[in-house]
Amino acid sequence: MIKLVKLKGAMFMKDIAIIGAGVVGCSIARELSKYKLDIIVLDKNEDICEGVSKANSGIIHGGFNEKRDSLKAKLNIEGNQMIEKLSNDLDFKFKRNQALVLAFNEEETERLNYLKQNGEAIGVSGLEIIEKEEILIMEPNINKDVKKALYVKSSGIVSPYEMTIALAENACENGVEFSLGSEVIDIKKHNDVYEMNLENGQAIKSKIVINASGLAGAFINNLVSSKKYEINPVKGEYCLFDKVAGSLCKKTLFQVPSKLSKGVLVTPTVDGNLLLGPNAKANNTILTSREGIDEIIQKSEKTIKSLPLNRVLNTFSGLRPKTKEEDFIIEEAFDAKNFINVIGIDSPGLTAAPAIGSYIVELIKDKIILEENNNFKFNRKGITKFNELSIEEKNKLIAKNSSYGKMVCKCELVTEGEVLEAINRPLGAKTVDAVKRRTRAMMGGCQGVGCMITIGNILSKELGIDISEVNKNNKDSNAIGFKEE
């Protein structure tokens, strides 16, 4: 097991400090770990992927909607082309399930023609406008009022947190240090070295700082640079259905996009659920609303009329870090040498993340010596998925380790062995939600009612803490909420 860094009194000097342990920060960390560098990733949360990256659509976008000559367009296409190999190397699920952008009237049909032309101009391959008959053969549950669709063959789906965890674990195995629960509250520059002061009173020095801090991106930049940015969070709410509803469609079904978002979609997830959303509201809270959920259901019924609302498992929301620039901001601050901003990474940030990692390498290659790490491990093996094994494989595993014969989550068929793996891996789970993201325990029909206390007990034993100290996510979010005297 690789331990997280616990910063103590001494000042640490690093080659590179990355602020933010979301999919972008972890992609950058993994790419930079290909070189002999002393790298640390800082994040205010107690686990990776606790911010923007954990709550989005999980779509690997084709890129047809991005503006020509924008960073979003360039990095979307490059990231899309990288994702299949990355998923094989790092053992996370990816499906090239393709997408349809649906038009229900003449105005929307005209918009499809523009989207096709725009996509082709920026290098998206495999775009085709298809007629109603072909649409309904592909997806018979689509609203029969559909006229035409843009068929996007390069689109796909992933689990955003599974992808982020895979990138982070591989970066960690390749020598990157992670300090979680380490919120940067101030940055000073002394003789070309940055000193980052943390909320816990500790500090780190670094030659290069990469600001990939999501919603805090403007705050971190504004500590250092006279060029000020502003993040305007846009909330997107989602409605998650169970796996019974997951067979309603195979492809990701978009409606014609608006200026604020790519529109409310209906999509299968890589784990077999059905997902609706998001809407787009200027808001800085992740609380869902009755009004917002009603909105996405109503809009989704334009795509599929008879949604099985009795199969809704959960609702959630996420925030997108939009800026007025309307493009990714990936550059060195003009008045702060070696301070690299990676901010305003809203959609298609998940798709672009692997390409952003490569882009950062190009950006800093003249700022620091990049000597190849000959011991770099390209591959990472994910947590055992007991339910996906054959009978013979299951029996062999149980004979070797009996904890795989103890079922913890009966809804998702997750064993004690998998929970123990999640806790004892590189960047191992320290909270109930961290176990959930790594194993899918508590993601089924009972939403943790039947297994959360069992998981809390396992965490308590493995971490050497009382069960009352087991947290849901961040500190002071007690999951169980009692202590036996």
Side-chain angles (χ1 to χ4, degrees), residues 386 392-405:
F386 185 81
E392 290 130 344
E393 288 170 328
K394 287 176 180 175
N395 287 333
K396 186 176 179 181
L397 186 57
I398 292 169
K400 186 177 179 182
N401 185 338
S402 63
S403 66
Y404 289 97

Side-chain angles (χ1 to χ4, degrees), residues 282-301:
N283 202 311
N284 62 1
T285 173
I286 59 169
L287 295 175
T288 55
S289 65
R290 178 74 265 174
E291 177 187 28
I293 299 303
D294 286 345
E295 177 192 357
I296 61 173
I297 289 172
Q298 181 183 9
K299 288 183 176 179
S300 297
E301 285 175 338

Side-chain angles (χ1 to χ4, degrees), residues 60 74-84 351-355:
I60 300 302
K74 167 184 165 60
L75 297 174
N76 186 132
I77 292 170
E78 291 177 4
N80 182 296
Q81 293 168 349
M82 296 168 73
I83 195 72
E84 193 158 356
T351 310

Side-chain angles (χ1 to χ4, degrees), residues 45-255:
N45 295 300
E46 301 298 319
D47 192 24
I48 53 177
C49 199
E50 275 283 2
V52 174
S53 299
K54 75 175 179 183
N56 61 63
S57 308
I59 306 301
I60 300 302
H61 289 287
F64 57 85
N65 192 42
E66 305 308 331
K67 290 182 180 178
R68 302 179 193 188
D69 302 318
S70 68
L71 263 182
K72 284 187 176 183
K74 167 184 165 60
L75 297 174
N76 186 132
I77 292 170
E78 291 177 4
N80 182 296
Q81 293 168 349
M82 296 168 73
I83 195 72
E84 193 158 356
K85 182 179 187 305
L86 194 65
S87 71
N88 289 329
D89 287 347
L90 301 186
D91 193 23
F92 64 87
K93 289 180 183 176
F94 164 67
K95 294 181 182 178
R96 187 81 69 182
N97 69 317
Q98 307 178 329
L100 296 173
V101 186
L102 306 172
F104 292 91
N105 55 47
E106 289 305 315
E107 182 181 348
E108 290 177 351
T109 299
E110 298 243 348
R111 180 73 176 159
L112 291 187
N113 293 323
Y114 166 77
L115 292 172
K116 181 174 184 290
Q117 292 167 9
N118 184 74
E120 289 171 342
I122 62 177
V124 182
S125 60
L127 296 176
E128 182 183 349
I129 292 180
I130 60 175
E131 303 292 332
K132 176 176 182 173
E133 293 75 17
E134 191 171 354
I135 296 167
L136 294 177
I137 290 171
M138 287 183 181
E139 295 287 354
N141 292 316
I142 286 177
N143 182 350
K144 304 300 187 285
D145 294 335
V146 68
K147 304 296 182 188
K148 293 187 179 183
L150 178 64
Y151 183 19
V152 187
K153 299 173 186 176
S154 59
S155 185
I157 50 177
V158 295
S159 162
Y161 39 86
E162 187 184 5
M163 175 175 165
T164 305
I165 289 165
L167 288 160
E169 286 188 354
N170 188 237
C172 186
E173 289 175 319
N174 282 301
V176 175
E177 297 173 350
F178 284 75
S179 181
L180 304 177
S182 298
E183 182 175 4
V184 177
I185 58 172
D186 197 17
I187 304 176
K188 303 294 183 187
K189 189 179 183 186
H190 305 288
N191 300 321
D192 292 333
V193 172
Y194 290 93
E195 180 181 322
M196 286 153 284
N197 295 311
L198 308 181
E199 188 269 340
N200 58 16
Q202 297 162 342
I204 286 187
K205 287 184 177 180
S206 183
K207 299 168 191 174
I208 295 174
V209 174
I210 299 172
N211 172 22
S213 54
L215 293 166
F219 168 76
I220 296 296
N221 168 80
N222 297 348
L223 292 173
V224 173
S225 177
S226 62
K227 182 177 181 180
K228 306 302 181 186
Y229 288 107
E230 184 178 353
I231 298 286
N232 301 301
V234 173
K235 179 169 76 172
E237 294 168 281
Y238 293 89
C239 194
L240 182 69
F241 290 66
D242 66 15
K243 294 178 181 179
V244 174
S247 60
L248 269 180
C249 62
K250 295 179 181 177
K251 303 188 187 314
T252 299
L253 307 178
F254 290 98
Q255 296 175 14

